[in-house]
Amino acid sequence: MTLWNSRLGSDPSKSLMDFTVSLNFDKRLAKYDLKASLAHLFGLKEVNLVTEDEYKIISEALSTIEKELETQEFKFVETDEDIHTAIERRTIELVGEVGGKLHTGRSRNDQVVTALRLLAKDEIKEIAENVVELTTVLLNRAKEVPEIYLPGYTHLQRAQPILLSHHLLAHGWSFFRDLDRLINCYERLDCSSLGAGALGGSTLPLNPKIVKDYLGFKKLFENSLDAVADRDFVAETLFDISLIGIHLSKLGEEIILWTSSEFGFATLDDKFSTGSSMLPQKKNPDIAELARGKSGRLIGNLTGFLATLKSLPLAYNRDLQEDKEPMFDSIDQIKLALGAFCGMLNTIEFHEVTMQSAADSAYSVAIDLAEWLVQKGMPFRSAYNLVGTVVKDSIERHVALPELVLAHPDLGELAMEIFKPGTSVKRRISHGSTGIEPVKIQIKNYEKTLNEVRKSLLKL
Ligand code: ARG
């Protein structure tokens, strides 16, 4: 028997139930539904809609249900459409008709969104902690290699020598922005929807503020229609997770390149590599590849859900039940990916000799030669043209660049210093650049940012 049996003449058809039931995935909301149910019950007691005794009886039933769910003794029945109906049904089963008071002034519409907001708060915090761990791994690895450099690329063509620490921290800063977004998203969704009812509130003297405080939400809904229809927070969470996934995929792509024989810049620890079932010599970067692949799935979860939301009229529509699967999937996938990345990056071995010799090409310091001339007073465009001509000459006549620089009247012996391996990263002095000194300052700022993020997370 369903909860709405009094209105509908017959039991639901099997095909309707097969198609509409959400229990198999929204079971995950059980703990939050119970928490919100208890808060709602407390609110009812505070405004005398249930007596102290009734409060005691029903809250005890809720703790029994909690235990039954924990120990998997809870028996679901065929007509349990979702976790909310299952919990209400069981409450009435346990305590009789008085259990029916639990749903006073409440609808599954305000109930489900409140439970989902509570879940989102916990999960966002956990994801953020995982991202903090990753930014810490990047920092620690960067600090281990203060002077190691490799080619920096634009268009995947060697451009100029870059410190490995600078490169690793570049990824770290993008994860800091992800953290900022997660914290913002958390603060925006930290709002109670309970008390909105099905869509228009209630004729009963409910006090949603008491319920909001009980649940520890920062804000309370202002408009009951908006409260039950709003899923912006799901879309935002999915976006924030997608972007973290995209950042992982970019970092992953570099790991894939760096660990290839063609680059030879790094080797993965065996614990974080996979083998081939046929080719005995293979060692594959599957974590990095799956992060690249799964970022597609995360984007799919986001765009799919945005399409679900598009054009929905106010207020609740069953379409909104489609919020949970993409949300849960993205949360699970990103947590797994972040954990695997921390391990992979903690143990990856960098090959400094290969990295540095790839960066030591004379052409990669062409800009340093031009800036050397600028320091002598030459306008930049003239310096650029002068060096460009020497580079062209070197390529066309197959003469080593340093030889031509040495012979050039505007360059000569003094400019030769620039070609010494490792000089380029020592000479970089501008703010935020890849110079050894600026990177030391960057590391200080990075550490400061990391501490601030850690503190903000503790406050959530
Ligand atoms: N399982 C439903 C969901 O996830 C709960 C709300 C159902 N509300 C309703 N009016 N049918 O959206």
Side-chain angles (χ1 to χ4, degrees), residues 22 26 81-82 84 108-109 112 231 316 318 320-321 323-324:
S22 54
D26 68 18
E81 195 186 84
D82 52 30
H84 320 290
R108 279 183 301 156
N109 299 353
V112 66
R231 293 294 184 284
Y316 178 83
R318 192 65 181 271
L320 293 176
Q321 182 169 288
D323 55 4
K324 283 169 275 299

Side-chain angles (χ1 to χ4, degrees), residues 28-29 32 114-124 327-328 331:
R28 185 163 171 167
L29 290 176
Y32 301 102
T114 303
L116 196 56
R117 282 174 189 275
L118 287 171
L119 174 137
K121 284 175 67 173
D122 278 358
E123 295 287 6
I124 287 178
M327 174 103 158
F328 298 162
I331 287 170

Side-chain angles (χ1 to χ4, degrees), residues 304-319:
F305 184 61
L306 287 174
T308 298
L309 283 184
K310 184 189 162 295
S311 312
L312 278 188
L314 287 172
Y316 178 83
N317 299 275
R318 192 65 181 271
D319 313 46

